[in-house]
Amino acid sequence: MEIGIDKIGFYAPHYYVDMVKLAEARGIDPDKFTIGIGQDEMALAPVTQDAVTLAANAALQVLDEVDKEKIDLVLFGTESGIDHSKSAAVYIHHLLGLNPYARSIELKQACYSATAGIQMAKGHIALNPKSKVLVIGSDIARYGLATPGESTQGAGAVAMVISKDPKLLAIENESTYFTNDIMDFWRPLYSDTACVDGKFSNEQYIHFFNTVWEKYKEQTGRSLEDFAALCYHVPYTKMGWKALRTILEEGTEACGERLRAHYETSIQYNRKVGNIYTGSLYLSLLSLLEKNDSLKGGDRIGLYSYGSGAVGEFFTGILQHGYQQHLYVNQHEELFKARQEVSVEEYEEIFADTLPADGSTTSLDAANDPAAVYLSGVEDHKRIYVNRNN
Ligand code: COA
């Protein structure tokens, strides 16, 4: 039985910052952001969007009534959780109107957890072939104003339906994974911005990639030539390239050119959205699927997932025939077209506009937030969500 990604939905908040203008405001050469980091725009979440609403908005795009009935497991990968106890999965289970006979759980391991969700979903469907699983990666990446990490922020969510006979990508059984307890990036409970040892995290990202890639080749006997394309976790678009270039010499020149060209395609969306942590690898996969003009059914795609702290995994999928007919290209074009640029001053105000830390009652003005699902406020320490479609 083939199991894999049947649908992918994506949502990013409607505000964005131009990276050239951000660089100028910080007194930095814009080429550092657009070439050195590889980002053109950065999505910015207003206070009316959090990990739950971003995820619900991404999922609403793809779920039909059959999915809502058949989904009996919701796996919500995030490192922007809104509660230590209640999972974000339960909130979206309600907001999406899913079948009540379901398991709903939040998964955490930095940017890696949506990948854990996909692998768990695969096991669940192997045991329950009629089921579908909703896997989410949803985050708001916050490093702080005028910090070295500022240019690698972003916000957004990817929602994937995992099922048997998937229409997009069948996930193969072989995969290699690696855990090591390191402090490259973390966010203590008392902080709403991340702590990061940036250079160390870059180095470890590549080290973990080389480790799982070597083990994968050893386990499977496959080589670079077996891959039509490789997708990477993309905290910023230069990062995946730094890892990819370490192995390009293992293949022919033509293979290297193919992988490099597909890598460029795979980062088109990420260049405009920035870092969305758990969803970044899958936004990159989505960009590759929606923007390439040469990949075909039967092609093998490699995926490298990395979550600081750290866990890395290399796994693969086979592209399904006719996958192009099951994408939401027009909706994603519309989503990007409808976004509104904000000035650096406005970005700084929106960044500072956060919920009261003590949970006091707040009512939010969502008149400028066009999203279907938004956060309308906090009452009795409970977040109040609204789905405009209901
Ligand atoms: N034109 C073109 N490139 C330029 C440039 C210019 N004028 N000025 C600098 N650059 C390049 C640098 O050479 C460097 O490229 P390289 O990494 O290929 O050597 C790149 O821009 C970044 O410059 P650097 O000085 O290293 O940036 P930084 O110290 O401000 O921090 C990060 C960059 C990524 C470490 C920082 O943004 C960060 O900590 N981000 C969060 C952590 C993260 O995303 N980790 C990834 C693994 S999960």
Side-chain angles (χ1 to χ4, degrees), residues 29-33 35-37 111 143 147-152 184-185 196-199 201-202 205 233 235-236 238-239 242 245 275 306 308:
D29 179 352
D31 286 353
K32 175 173 174 183
F33 288 177
I35 300 168
I37 298 287
C111 303
Y143 287 92
T147 61
E150 183 178 36
S151 58
T152 64
D184 60 332
F185 168 106
V196 62
D197 184 342
K199 303 283 182 235
S201 76
N202 289 352
Y205 173 108
H233 166 52
Y236 56 97
K238 181 82 170 284
M239 187 71 248
K242 282 171 185 258
R245 71 187 178 196
N275 195 356
Y306 176 80
S308 290

Side-chain angles (χ1 to χ4, degrees), residues 21-35:
K21 291 178 190 162
L22 180 63
E24 284 164 355
R26 299 288 179 253
I28 291 171
D29 179 352
D31 286 353
K32 175 173 174 183
F33 288 177
T34 56
I35 300 168

